[in-house]
Amino acid sequence: MKKIGWIGLGNMGIPMAAQLLKASYPVTVYNRSTEKESALTAMGAAVAESPEALSRESDVVIVMVTDDQAITAVFEGEKGLIRGQIDGKVIINMSTVSPAISKKMDELCKLQNCRYLDAPVSGSVKQAETGQLVIMAGGAKSAFEEVKPIFDVLGKLSKWVGDTGAGNIAKLAINSLLALYTQGLAETILFASEKGIQPADLLELIGNAAIGNVYTKIKGEAILNDDYKAAFALKHIVKDLRLARDEGISSPLAKTALSTYERAQAQYGEEDLVAIIKALKSLNG
């Protein structure tokens, strides 16, 4: 089995790396803050002191970090990946970042005879814990096919969607819809509540109607339980909507959603994105 290096142990990185360990892949991990490594070392993971060191121990390197700046540090830092032994290897960037940073990292990898895939995921912590993510990949199709067995451990669907950056575009499109849908759900609940309809009753009706889905159920329950612990933090949807805007999305709904989430970020940025309902409630007085 291919030896896997994993960089980034956040809310998604830990359960995703754990899935690979459960599937008996040899995994070496690196994280900027070392205290997050213990859960995986207890499962048998090895630890590297830097991305450069991790590259020496890996056939495939997977990166799951926050943003473009973190990607630059991982690849181009003093002990970054491109300083390591990456000749002939595959580097998979599963972070939600800009297509531009993927194209830049792809060029750097080509100079080192290394193949790069952008392969962000759709799904949250629960899907990561159960290997039910949806993975969209951009880059060389041959590289995608080579690492697809790894993707099959992490997700229920992995799909090649085009050249470098295409996976990032697909993810930004999906997250734009996520933002619109979450705000729409919040506005619907608030409107009905103002007219005397109990949120629990409305959500039961929605759940049994054609527009009902798993996401409505999960986020509806969070609203009913006043539970806004971040599965996907509101600040991250702001980042993704800005990236989508920078790629050219300019529709009326996208513009409105970005404005709404940006105004909510200062107070609710660390909470789940469904906390937008609290921001809308305060805006409505």
Side-chain angles (χ1 to χ4, degrees):
M1 300 181 78
K2 290 185 181 296
K3 295 182 290 184
I4 298 174
W6 191 283
I7 298 175
L9 300 178
N11 287 345
M12 297 290 285
I14 290 175
M16 291 172 72
Q19 287 296 115
L20 295 171
L21 287 164
K22 290 175 186 175
S24 299
Y25 278 96
V27 178
T28 301
V29 299
Y30 167 78
N31 194 67
R32 189 171 54 182
S33 53
T34 58
E35 69 272 6
K36 292 186 176 182
E37 297 166 349
S38 58
L40 296 173
T41 55
M43 297 177 66
V47 175
E49 63 179 11
S50 67
E52 179 186 19
L54 179 138
S55 72
R56 294 195 293 268
E57 307 299 325
S58 311
D59 302 313
V60 175
V61 177
I62 300 175
V63 184
M64 188 62 151
V65 294
T66 306
D67 52 27
D68 286 23
Q69 291 73 26
I71 289 297
T72 299
V74 165
F75 279 78
E76 299 185 82
E78 182 180 351
K79 294 184 178 180
L81 279 174
I82 62 169
R83 323 272 181 205
Q85 298 175 10
I86 58 174
D87 184 282
K89 299 180 181 182
V90 180
I91 297 180
I92 308 170
N93 183 2
M94 304 193 81
S95 319
T96 301
V97 293
S98 71
I101 200 72
S102 278
K103 290 173 183 176
K104 180 181 179 182
M105 296 305 118
D106 178 55
E107 290 301 317
L108 291 175
C109 285
K110 285 177 179 175
L111 292 173
Q112 302 289 332
N113 192 34
C114 171
R115 291 161 295 163
Y116 174 97
L117 290 172
D118 51 287
V121 304
S122 181
S124 194
V125 175
K126 181 64 175 177
Q127 290 73 39
E129 291 172 341
T130 55
Q132 293 294 300
L133 295 166
V134 173
I135 302 165
M136 52 219 80
K141 193 170 186 180
S142 59
F144 168 77
E145 290 171 347
E146 182 178 328
V147 300
K148 191 174 185 302
I150 296 170
F151 290 153
D152 289 343
V153 172
L154 299 172
K156 64 180 179 181
L157 172 68
S158 60
K159 189 172 183 65
W160 179 80
V161 292
D163 293 334
T164 302
N168 298 134
I169 290 290
K171 178 60 187 295
L172 294 178
I174 289 172
N175 275 17
S176 295
L177 177 60
L178 178 71
L180 300 178
Y181 192 87
T182 306
Q183 183 170 336
L185 177 64
E187 291 184 6
T188 298
I189 291 172
L190 289 175
F191 168 69
S193 297
E194 290 167 1
K195 301 301 178 182
I197 307 298
Q198 293 298 312
D201 293 336
L202 180 69
L203 287 164
E204 183 179 2
L205 293 168
I206 292 172
N208 284 278
I211 56 172
N213 55 46
V214 173
Y215 186 78
T216 303
K217 183 177 187 299
I218 293 171
K219 297 307 180 185
E221 288 178 355
I223 291 170
L224 292 178
N225 294 326
D226 199 30
D227 178 11
Y228 299 100
K229 180 181 178 182
F232 182 64
L234 189 146
K235 65 181 180 181
H236 294 322
I237 203 69
V238 174
K239 178 204 72 173
D240 295 349
L241 287 170
R242 286 172 176 165
L243 289 174
R245 176 200 60 195
D246 293 345
E247 290 300 316
I249 192 169
S250 59
S251 61
L253 287 177
K255 288 181 177 179
T256 300
L258 176 55
S259 175
T260 305
Y261 285 98
E262 281 183 328
R263 282 182 289 171
Q265 183 176 10
Q267 187 169 357
Y268 303 108
E270 299 297 331
E271 298 186 53
D272 192 81
L273 81 164
V274 80
I276 194 66
I277 194 169
K278 297 196 287 186
L280 290 168
K281 191 180 297 183
S282 64
L283 285 174
N284 292 340

